[in-house]
Structure formats: C-alpha cells, structure tokens
Amino acid sequence: MNNVLVMLQTNSNQAYIYSSPRLREQIGASFQITLLSQWVAEEAKKLPEVAKKGSLPGSFWVSNSSGKVIVRLTGKDGEPKALARNLIGAVTRRAFEEAPGLDVTGVFTPPEDADGTHNGMTDDEAVTQDSLDALDREFNAYSLNRPPAAARFPQLPFLERGAESPLPAAHELSPSDLKAIRERAGGMEIRALKGDVNNHIPTQTDRDAGLPLSLPSRVKRAWSRAARRHQLQDVLKHWPTDREQAPRPSIEDLFEDPFQLERAFQGVPASQDGSPSDVGDSAQNTGNKSPVLHDLSSVGVIHIDGNGVGAVMRDLQRAYCEVREHLSDAELKKIADEGSRHNPVDFDDDEFQWFIMEVNHQLDKAVRTAVARAWADVASYANPTTDGSGSGNTPSHAAPDDGAGTGDEAEEARTRVPVVPVLVGGDDLTVYIAGDYAVPFAESYIRHYESLTWNNDLLKRLAIVANKDEVRTPSPGPLTASAGVAIVGRNFPFHIAY
C-alpha cells in the first residue's frame, strides 16, 4: 500500500464554541479550531522520514480548510499505515493538551479491498474522487463507534462543578501553561501592543484564576485576547484602502480587548482610562480609550452560508472537470502560476490535488476579504461625514466621545461599531454586531462575496456546479450566499440567539 489518505477533523464545532454564554470563551474556542492545520503540519514534520528531509513533500496536502484537513502519505516517507497512525495519535494528543474539550477525529484509508484497490486509489494514483468518498465513509463509520469528547471529563459526586459549565472545575492554569500560550501566539505573529505588561500578550486574569472554571473554559479565556488580535490582524490585512469615510483603523480602535467588547454589547460606558473591569494578566489595558456607547438596545446575530458550496465539496471531481472544460490550458496554467506562492502542491505533479488546495485557498480568501469589506462599509455607515461631527447622522445607540472634530481628536471621536466574527470556516460565517448594523453588514457581505467570486477566474467556474439545482442551464457566474439575521435585546444570550 503505497498511498494513504489521512483525514483529521474537528467535530461538533458549534457545540464547542457555544457551550458557554461568555463572549470571551466563544472567541477563544473559535480560534482554537483553526489550530488544527498547524498541529498537523508541526507533527508531520516530526515523523522520522519526513524530519530527515526537513520539509513536507509537495504531495502532502490534499485539503486544508477550517476544522478539516486531508493529507497524503506515501511509501517514500516510510510505511504509510504506521505513519498515518503516528500522525493521528500525535495530532489528537495536541488537541487534548492545548484545546481540552475540542473533539478531533482522525482516520485513514484502510488496506487493499476485494477489488485490488485501496478504495478506489491504486498504487500509481495520487488522489481520486473515489478515494475521497471512501475516506468520508471511513470517517462516518468511525465517528459512530467512538466515545464523545465529553467522556474525557467524568464527573464524580464529590467534584466541584465548574461555573457556567456542566464539566468539573479545574485548577488555574500554571505559569508554564500561560507561557506556552504566549509562545504559540508569538509564533503565529500575534503582536504584543503598547501597554501589555512585560510586552507579553495577556492571558489568564486574576479573577479567572480564582473562579471555579472547567479546564476548557480556562483555556478558551486564556486564548481570547490573542485570538481577538489574530482576528483583527486578518481583518486589517484585507481592509480596503479606498474608503475615505472608513480609513484603515488600528487594532486598538476595534475593541481588541474582549472586556471592551462585552461592555460595548451591554451598552456600558468605558472607564475614563479605558481599562477593563477586571484585574490581572489579561486585563492590562493598552491605553486606548474605547468609545462610549449609549442606549444600545439590540444586538444582531448573523449566520451566512454559501449556496451550493457543499455540493462542490461533495463532488470535487465533477467540479474539477467543469473547470477544465471552461478554462483553456493557458488560463489554468496562469492561475497555477499565480497560486504557486500559497499552494504547496505542484500543478504539474497532480492537477486534481492542486485544484482541491486552490479551491480551499481562494474560497477562504474571498470570505475573509468580504468580511473586511463589509466591516469597512459598516464603519462608513456609522461615520457618514469625515469631519468627525456626525451631526444628525450618528445612530442613537453609538455616540462618539467628545472631541474637537479635527486631527487625532477627530479620530478618537469616530463611532466604533462592535463586530465579532465568531465563526469563519469554509463558506460559513457567524457574526455578532450592534443590532442597528446587522442587516447592513449581512447585505454588504453577500454583495462583496458575490463580486469577489465573480471576479475570480477559478471560483466563478465553480458556480456551474454550485448553482446546478437553481438554474436550468448553469454557466460561470458569482457564487451566492444566504443569510439569517436575529436582532435581540442586548441581554439576550448570544448562543440562544444563534
């Protein structure tokens, strides 16, 4: 058996994120799900044969999206079945240690079947649709016969139950635990900001340390500050540069502190120095003064899902054939050349495997860019004039701070709308936002998503497959999305509104 496909996937993501009503924990949990691909890459490089080469082979990555990774191991790297077991064991142990409560499952294609193939993948083939389908079947069968992640936390009568959790309480995180979180955050280029104590990214607060929290809650909260900064760094990376009424802000201006976010959604004015209503590591303020929000009566919860993208992912072979039919060799080669900087798979080695990774990347980029542009649009709506006065146009719930209206004071006077993309995975998006701006954000996101996919030579061909159930004779065009918006009172639990 010279080829083995390995799938590692996080399960019950929504249950993991929304198991707590606390926004800080939801931000941290959402970020932890994105660590899966990093765990896979880091642990794969430790495999003996791979470690000797110093880098992962170009044939390694098959699919890499949020919460789901498929990789290929070959006989060139060692005995594939043993490598697969070692990789799955190493990655699931990382999840157990670094994201307790996150359910990660790994499977690989079984040995040769009765037809003399490895579930559709022969020794001289790399990746086929049959082999991907077989991997899905293996994953589904295994998932039905394994204990759930909750079984890791047995509850005995004499154990204290964690606050706001059905899980048992755990000791506070140790200094070495917090150091490991800071080191990993630093390795992901999450930056410390002015005002961070000892130039360290804040983690566990003194108040959290003293509460009877479950272990998953402690880790999620400790990650929340770094997770929020990582989220904002990505948004600012894709922020449009042509918005006079919404110039590119700094991270400090976007409620980078989850405590600021909580106050913003609750309509509580910030303290004079901008510091959170807590003490300890995570509560060290960055010196920025958050806007004063008045009369915030509602919060918007938005969920957006791409139309037909699931059909594309279920039959990638058909999607690939449709793209090949509508793209000339020269056009496809141009896309491959442009993607060589981010796609680890060589186009000439395996077109189908390259195609899967390219779709993952282009779709993820379109979603993240659409989020940033919708956010910028909302910032423009909240600040319809550029002089900082906002006279007659500022929403009643979000009044700017007092300022002269020019220079730095005008920048401080800008209305900042709290926005939290809680779940960004594949074509799915869940966002919390001030209620007045929920529908405008959803409309803007869908408009930009359609525009970005229409102007992408690869993604607009996917519309042929994605829209097959809606259009009699589908042709290249934009990918579309559907949105649901719930506008609830500011004290209504987020997770229930979702």
Side-chain angles (χ1 to χ4, degrees):
M1 187 176 183
N2 293 330
N3 285 294
V4 171
L5 291 183
V6 182
M7 178 193 292
L8 287 138
Q9 180 172 323
T10 59
N11 307 303
S12 304
N13 292 346
Q14 294 177 359
Y16 181 67
I17 293 172
Y18 300 112
S19 61
S20 167
R22 297 298 177 186
L23 182 59
R24 282 190 296 149
E25 292 188 31
Q26 294 172 15
I27 292 173
S30 178
F31 174 76
Q32 287 176 311
I33 292 172
T34 68
L35 295 176
L36 178 63
S37 61
Q38 295 185 38
W39 293 334
V40 172
E42 292 171 6
E43 295 303 326
K45 290 177 182 177
K46 297 177 184 177
L47 297 174
E49 295 301 321
V50 177
K52 293 178 182 178
K53 300 175 183 178
S55 62
L56 297 174
S59 61
F60 180 76
W61 294 103
V62 176
S63 179
N64 184 7
S65 58
S66 179
K68 181 177 180 180
V69 173
I70 301 176
V71 299
R72 175 188 169 209
L73 298 172
T74 70
K76 297 178 182 179
D77 304 319
E79 205 288 305
K81 288 172 59 178
L83 290 175
R85 290 192 176 96
N86 290 339
L87 179 62
I88 292 171
V91 172
T92 52
R93 283 192 295 272
R94 284 288 293 273
F96 180 80
E97 295 170 359
E98 298 186 21
L102 180 62
D103 190 1
V104 177
T105 302
V107 298
F108 64 93
T109 46
E112 187 174 284
D113 56 28
D115 297 325
T117 69
H118 310 305
N119 282 320
M121 184 170 63
T122 59
D123 285 345
D124 58 349
E125 291 177 323
V127 180
T128 67
Q129 186 62 48
D130 286 341
S131 63
L132 294 175
D133 291 342
L135 194 60
D136 280 332
R137 290 194 297 271
E138 187 72 14
F139 178 85
N140 291 334
Y142 179 73
S143 297
L144 293 172
N145 294 284
R146 60 183 294 271
R152 302 173 190 164
F153 303 96
Q155 299 202 36
L156 300 176
F158 55 85
L159 291 181
E160 182 180 7
R161 177 162 293 186
E164 301 175 348
S165 171
L167 302 179
H171 288 291
E172 65 182 89
L173 300 182
S174 68
S176 61
D177 293 330
L178 303 180
K179 180 181 178 182
I181 290 175
R182 285 193 289 265
E183 288 178 348
R184 171 160 286 279
M188 299 174 64
E189 299 182 353
I190 301 175
R191 302 189 300 272
L193 300 178
K194 181 181 179 181
D196 288 345
V197 176
N198 298 324
N199 204 36
H200 287 164
I201 297 172
T203 52
Q204 179 175 250
T205 69
D206 290 344
R207 182 171 183 272
D208 286 344
L211 290 174
L213 300 173
S214 68
L215 183 57
S217 291
R218 291 194 183 283
V219 177
K220 291 174 186 177
R221 293 187 182 202
W223 263 112
S224 63
R225 194 74 173 266
R228 178 64 175 174
R229 291 184 186 181
H230 184 267
Q231 180 184 86
L232 294 177
Q233 286 177 198
D234 185 71
V235 167
L236 295 179
K237 175 182 175 182
H238 296 96
W239 194 272
T241 58
D242 57 350
R243 307 294 173 87
E244 181 180 350
Q245 291 172 269
R248 187 176 185 271
S250 66
I251 286 180
E252 293 90 339
D253 293 330
L254 296 178
F255 302 98
E256 67 86 19
D257 183 348
F259 286 105
Q260 289 180 348
L261 273 176
E262 290 177 352
R263 287 197 306 275
F265 280 119
Q266 293 168 0
V268 178
S271 60
Q272 185 62 33
D273 63 358
S275 61
S277 55
D278 203 345
V279 293
D281 187 7
S282 178
Q284 301 301 327
N285 75 81
T286 55
N288 62 302
K289 187 177 180 181
S290 59
V292 179
L293 303 178
H294 294 296
D295 302 325
L296 184 92
S297 60
S298 63
V299 173
V301 181
I302 307 169
H303 183 71
I304 303 175
D305 192 13
N307 297 327
V309 175
V312 172
M313 296 304 175
R314 284 192 298 271
D315 196 351
L316 286 163
Q317 184 68 48
R318 183 188 172 196
Y320 168 70
C321 291
E322 291 284 1
V323 168
R324 288 297 278 122
E325 182 179 338
H326 290 83
L327 278 176
S328 66
D329 290 342
E331 290 174 318
L332 194 60
K333 187 63 176 175
K334 179 184 177 182
I335 295 174
D337 291 340
E338 292 174 349
S340 61
R341 295 187 299 273
H342 58 255
N343 195 329
V345 181
D346 193 317
F347 176 80
D348 295 323
D349 288 345
D350 190 317
E351 277 192 35
F352 184 49
Q353 191 171 342
W354 169 87
F355 170 78
I356 298 172
M357 286 295 293
E358 191 66 19
V359 168
N360 288 166
H361 174 80
Q362 297 293 354
L363 189 59
D364 182 71
K365 182 180 178 181
V367 168
R368 294 179 183 279
T369 303
V371 168
R373 292 185 179 181
W375 198 325
D377 286 344
V378 165
S380 296
Y381 303 153
N383 299 276
T385 60
T386 57
D387 63 1
S389 64
S391 178
N393 293 305
T394 302
S396 62
H397 77 275
D401 293 330
D402 294 334
T406 58
D408 293 339
E409 292 181 345
E411 182 63 23
E412 287 184 6
R414 293 183 62 84
T415 299
R416 304 296 184 188
V417 180
V419 181
V420 187
V422 177
L423 181 62
V424 182
D427 62 318
D428 290 343
L429 175 68
T430 301
V431 177
Y432 298 153
I433 189 171
D436 289 15
Y437 298 98
V439 172
F441 183 97
E443 181 277 330
S444 178
Y445 172 86
I446 292 176
R447 174 162 42 83
H448 288 301
Y449 176 76
E450 292 182 355
S451 174
L452 289 163
T453 55
W454 169 245
N455 290 296
N456 184 291
D457 289 335
L458 182 64
L459 295 182
K460 71 180 181 182
R461 267 80 181 187
L462 291 183
I464 299 171
V465 178
N467 299 333
K468 66 177 182 178
D469 294 331
E470 301 178 10
V471 182
R472 181 169 298 179
T473 57
S475 59
L479 293 174
T480 61
S482 299
V485 179
I487 300 177
V488 298
R490 69 179 184 223
N491 294 321
F492 195 85
F494 289 137
H495 63 297
I496 297 178
Y498 173 80

